[in-house]
Amino acid sequence: MDQIPASFPNYLPAPELQKYPPLEPFEHHEHGKNADSTFPDLFPQGAGVIEHLTPQFGSEVRGIQLSQLTNKGKDQLALFVAQRKVVAFRDQDFAHLSIDNALEYGGYFGRHLIHPTSAAPKGYPEIHLVHRGPEAKTCANALHSRNSAVYWHSDLSFEEQPPGTTFLYVLDGPPSGGDTIFADMVQAYRRLSPEFRKRLHGLTAEHTSAEHIQSERGKSRRPAITTAHPIVRTHPATGEKAIFVNDVITKRIVGLKKEESDLLLKFLFDQTAFSHDLQVRLRWKPGTVVVYDNRVTSHAALFDFEDGYRRHLARLTPQAERPYETPFQEE
């Protein structure tokens, strides 16, 4: 089984890790903000079959090709994903595009964010690769020192302008297992009592890349960064508020003592992990492109597939605005 070739060898990781200077701020244009909410260009004349996974969160779509969308259709895609938070588009030709064309497509939604440490195809550091070859003992290694290998996170939340509309597409996968679970951080906010929500407003928390870089033996394209973001974040297209902390990257709440910060963060992390009615599990099937909004979701890969198979995905990670908070309002 270890001789299984990659279906997309042009997406195999290269060892190069070029150095880059710290990122400079840029002005992000949110394409979903003024998009037509009836989605005439995303689902023209009733095209597309939409299945909602839960009433509030997560959808699967068949019958449209993302690669064929006009700019208006892409604007409406950004809004649709902001509303549904995570959407799996099935039977897509996206992986068959050239990498240059894929990057041009993703660049419509924001400046590409180059991951500080992850592998990338040769010459394309903007592509984030998730790759476990058939020779890797992925599941055994992941569970060697832990009972669970689930790490909830929002991609690269330590950046001053973390990702927004994000594209993750499958290249190879095991016949079962290796799915990705997503959590709705808008509903996580709404589940809290009004008094608790009010207390979270005005608090900021530090997100850092230092531990991640350390785990990679200090190898990084850019220096480590620590950034404070509001715990309650507002989405610019929908106006919805979401909890914006995650237990991989968020380390402390500014202004609180360690014990106070640890207690409050653990409560918020546990709500994400244990509230299964805030979650959906998306199965990777050939031709699947999952589009999710990093501003209002957390997610985790599942290491429950059999060793001996290749799990290979690619991600386009356009940056969005710097996280901001709008005033508390009772809902």
Side-chain angles (χ1 to χ4, degrees), residues 29-83:
H29 173 68
E30 177 52 46
H31 286 279
K33 189 169 185 179
N34 297 310
D36 189 333
S37 59
T38 65
F39 308 113
D41 302 279
L42 179 59
F43 304 114
Q45 298 179 345
V49 177
I50 305 170
E51 179 184 358
H52 293 323
L53 302 180
T54 77
Q56 302 292 334
F57 182 56
S59 299
E60 292 194 8
V61 174
R62 301 178 187 273
I64 69 165
Q65 281 294 336
L66 293 176
S67 64
Q68 303 302 311
L69 292 179
T70 64
N71 285 351
K72 286 186 177 179
K74 293 175 187 174
D75 295 345
Q76 293 160 26
L77 171 66
L79 177 58
F80 183 68
V81 171
Q83 291 177 350

Side-chain angles (χ1 to χ4, degrees), residues 118-136:
S118 78
K122 185 176 182 178
Y124 294 100
E126 303 90 347
I127 300 286
H128 168 76
L129 291 179
V130 178
H131 181 258
R132 299 291 185 275
E135 74 287 348

Side-chain angles (χ1 to χ4, degrees), residues 18-175:
Q18 181 180 343
K19 295 291 186 180
Y20 291 89
L23 293 174
E24 296 292 333
F26 79 103
E27 185 175 351
H28 170 68
H29 173 68
E30 177 52 46
H31 286 279
K33 189 169 185 179
N34 297 310
D36 189 333
S37 59
T38 65
F39 308 113
D41 302 279
L42 179 59
F43 304 114
Q45 298 179 345
V49 177
I50 305 170
E51 179 184 358
H52 293 323
L53 302 180
T54 77
Q56 302 292 334
F57 182 56
S59 299
E60 292 194 8
V61 174
R62 301 178 187 273
I64 69 165
Q65 281 294 336
L66 293 176
S67 64
Q68 303 302 311
L69 292 179
T70 64
N71 285 351
K72 286 186 177 179
K74 293 175 187 174
D75 295 345
Q76 293 160 26
L77 171 66
L79 177 58
F80 183 68
V81 171
Q83 291 177 350
R84 297 302 305 170
K85 315 301 186 292
V86 55
V87 184
F89 291 87
R90 304 295 189 183
D91 306 315
Q92 298 296 303
D93 61 6
F94 210 89
H96 295 275
L97 302 177
S98 70
I99 294 180
D100 287 313
N101 286 342
L103 286 173
E104 180 181 3
Y105 189 99
Y108 182 81
F109 298 88
R111 182 176 70 181
H112 284 290
L113 181 51
I114 297 175
H115 196 287
T117 63
S118 78
K122 185 176 182 178
Y124 294 100
E126 303 90 347
I127 300 286
H128 168 76
L129 291 179
V130 178
H131 181 258
R132 299 291 185 275
E135 74 287 348
K137 301 298 182 183
T138 302
C139 300
N141 291 339
L143 297 172
H144 177 70
S145 59
R146 285 170 52 103
N147 291 325
S148 171
V150 173
Y151 292 90
W152 287 99
H153 63 284
S154 174
D155 295 322
L156 304 169
S157 65
F158 48 75
E159 298 290 355
E160 292 191 6
Q161 293 181 250
T165 308
T166 304
F167 297 78
L168 187 61
Y169 47 107
V170 66
L171 304 166
D172 280 303

